[in-house]
């Protein structure tokens, strides 16, 4: 007789809610439409693989732990640091036990063991997965700050202080230096100036005006005058123009 997998099916539908579950801490930074828990978990998984490989831990195991690290939030939602001050935190292992109830034991026990290992913070793979969680938060904060959410700096600082692996420490030090990289491609002031000089000067080697504009538009280093805008729907974005066409509506590229 085939095993009953109805509990597995129910959990898979439940897991889908993380695609819509917002990371509520970003509201405190002023982000009106923050990332979801699922979006955060995706990059955390990639980082866990990278960190574990570079740290000499088992990248497959670290990735496995990272996949499940926020799975309990289908039941609890994402409770930010301020909320935890007033509401008791649910035990992740207890939540997981409820989530896997009714699943085949071989599967349920494996999931319970994963969550327990992550929460115990002792194995090299758990340490790498937890650093991946912090580093992903730092990268996202840098991205939000680059979009104009200055209050995200607090998340950058807090995440940097909490990194414990050697790779995390190196990333933190490099992120505060004068180098070109300051976290997730965010340029330093030095690289920002250098890029602007290369991208706007006569030595630019772009094959066409279209590719030149695309390069400028995609580069996070470019400062664009407020008057140079185009509008789509109700949203206005700044893009560079090297001609004198009137502003206020989208100008088609040649």
């Amino acid at each position: 007789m085939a095993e009953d997998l109805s509990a597995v099916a129910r959990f898979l539908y439940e897991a889908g809610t993380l695609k819509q579950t917002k990371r509520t801490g970003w509201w405190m930074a002023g982000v009106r439409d923050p990332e979801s828990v699922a979006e955060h978990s995706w990059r955390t998984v990639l980082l866990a693989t990278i960190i574990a490989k570079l740290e000499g831990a088992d990248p497959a195991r670290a990735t496995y732990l990272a996949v499940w690290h926020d799975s309990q939030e289908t039941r609890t939602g994402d409770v930010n640091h301020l909320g935890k001050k007033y509401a008791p935190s649910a035990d992740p292992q207890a939540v997981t036990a409820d989530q896997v109830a009714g699943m085949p034991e071989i599967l349920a026990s494996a999931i319970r063991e994963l969550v327990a290992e992550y929460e115990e913070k002792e194995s090299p793979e758990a340490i790498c997965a937890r650093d991946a969680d912090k580093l992903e938060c730092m990268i996202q904060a840098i991205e939000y700050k680059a979009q104009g959410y200055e209050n995200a700096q607090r998340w950058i600082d807090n995440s940097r202080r909490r990194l414990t692996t050697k790779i995390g420490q190196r990333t933190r030090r490099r992120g505060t230096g004068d180098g070109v990289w300051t976290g997730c491609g965010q340029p330093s002031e030095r690289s920002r100036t250098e890029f602007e000089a290369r991208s706007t000067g006569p030595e630019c080697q772009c094959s066409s005006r279209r590719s030149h504009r695309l390069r400028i538009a995609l580069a996070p280093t470019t400062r664009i005058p407020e008057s140079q805008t185009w509008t789509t729907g109700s949203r206005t974005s700044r893009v560079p123009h090297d001609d004198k066409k009137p502003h206020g509506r989208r100008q088609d590229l040649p």
Side-chain angles (χ1 to χ4, degrees), residues 18-23 35-42 69-71 73 77-78:
L18 295 180
K19 295 180 181 181
Q20 288 81 43
T21 303
K22 299 297 183 182
R23 295 259 291 168
E35 63 172 343
S36 70
V37 174
E39 289 169 325
H40 159 72
S41 295
W42 161 241
H69 86 283
D70 276 343
S71 58
E73 292 182 6
D78 179 68

Side-chain angles (χ1 to χ4, degrees), residues 11 61-73 90-100 107-123 125-127 129-130:
F11 174 77
R61 184 68 179 181
T63 302
Y64 205 2
L65 294 171
V67 167
W68 292 89
H69 86 283
D70 276 343
S71 58
Q72 305 80 26
E73 292 182 6
D91 178 6
Q93 295 186 60
V95 175
T96 298
D98 285 344
Q99 288 175 311
V100 302
L107 175 60
S109 61
I111 296 172
R112 290 194 299 265
E113 290 170 7
L114 283 170
V115 173
E117 181 178 345
Y118 182 84
E119 295 300 326
E120 287 167 1
K121 313 174 188 179
E122 294 180 356
S123 72
E125 291 74 23
I127 292 170
R130 297 184 75 88

Side-chain angles (χ1 to χ4, degrees), residues 11-172:
F11 174 77
L12 292 176
Y13 280 107
E14 180 180 324
T17 64
L18 295 180
K19 295 180 181 181
Q20 288 81 43
T21 303
K22 299 297 183 182
R23 295 259 291 168
T24 61
W26 297 123
W27 286 330
M28 303 296 178
V31 182
R32 295 186 63 183
D33 186 24
E35 63 172 343
S36 70
V37 174
E39 289 169 325
H40 159 72
S41 295
W42 161 241
R43 189 157 53 185
T44 299
V45 167
L46 297 180
L47 286 165
T49 306
I50 294 167
I51 293 172
K53 186 66 176 178
L54 295 175
E55 289 284 319
D58 181 355
R61 184 68 179 181
T63 302
Y64 205 2
L65 294 171
V67 167
W68 292 89
H69 86 283
D70 276 343
S71 58
Q72 305 80 26
E73 292 182 6
T74 62
R75 302 283 176 99
T76 65
D78 179 68
V79 182
N80 60 55
H81 180 73
L82 182 61
K84 291 177 180 178
K85 181 178 178 180
Y86 301 98
S89 299
D91 178 6
Q93 295 186 60
V95 175
T96 298
D98 285 344
Q99 288 175 311
V100 302
M103 292 185 187
E105 183 56 27
I106 189 172
L107 175 60
S109 61
I111 296 172
R112 290 194 299 265
E113 290 170 7
L114 283 170
V115 173
E117 181 178 345
Y118 182 84
E119 295 300 326
E120 287 167 1
K121 313 174 188 179
E122 294 180 356
S123 72
E125 291 74 23
I127 292 170
C128 290
R130 297 184 75 88
D131 246 31
D133 181 34
K134 301 178 187 75
L135 186 55
E136 202 289 324
C137 183
M138 187 184 84
I139 292 172
Q140 185 62 66
I142 291 171
E143 290 175 342
Y144 280 144
K145 186 176 180 182
Q147 294 170 24
Y149 298 104
E150 293 296 328
N151 289 335
Q153 183 63 48
R154 176 183 172 188
W155 278 256
I156 298 173
D157 296 338
N158 287 342
S159 297
R160 280 174 175 159
R161 285 194 294 267
R162 296 167 62 197
L163 293 168
T164 60
T165 62
K166 292 179 181 178
I167 297 302
Q169 295 287 335
R170 286 170 57 188
T171 301
R172 180 179 69 182

Side-chain angles (χ1 to χ4, degrees), residues 180-220:
V180 169
W181 186 79
T182 56
C184 195
Q186 179 67 10
S188 66
E189 286 302 313
R190 184 184 70 183
S191 65
R192 189 186 300 272
T193 302
E194 290 173 352
F195 183 91
E196 288 175 352
R198 291 195 305 271
S199 299
T200 59
E203 70 278 12
C204 179
Q205 299 299 311
C206 291
S207 59
S208 67
R209 185 166 63 170
R210 180 190 294 271
S211 62
H212 178 81
R213 285 186 182 176
L214 180 61
R215 180 170 177 239
I216 296 292
L218 294 179

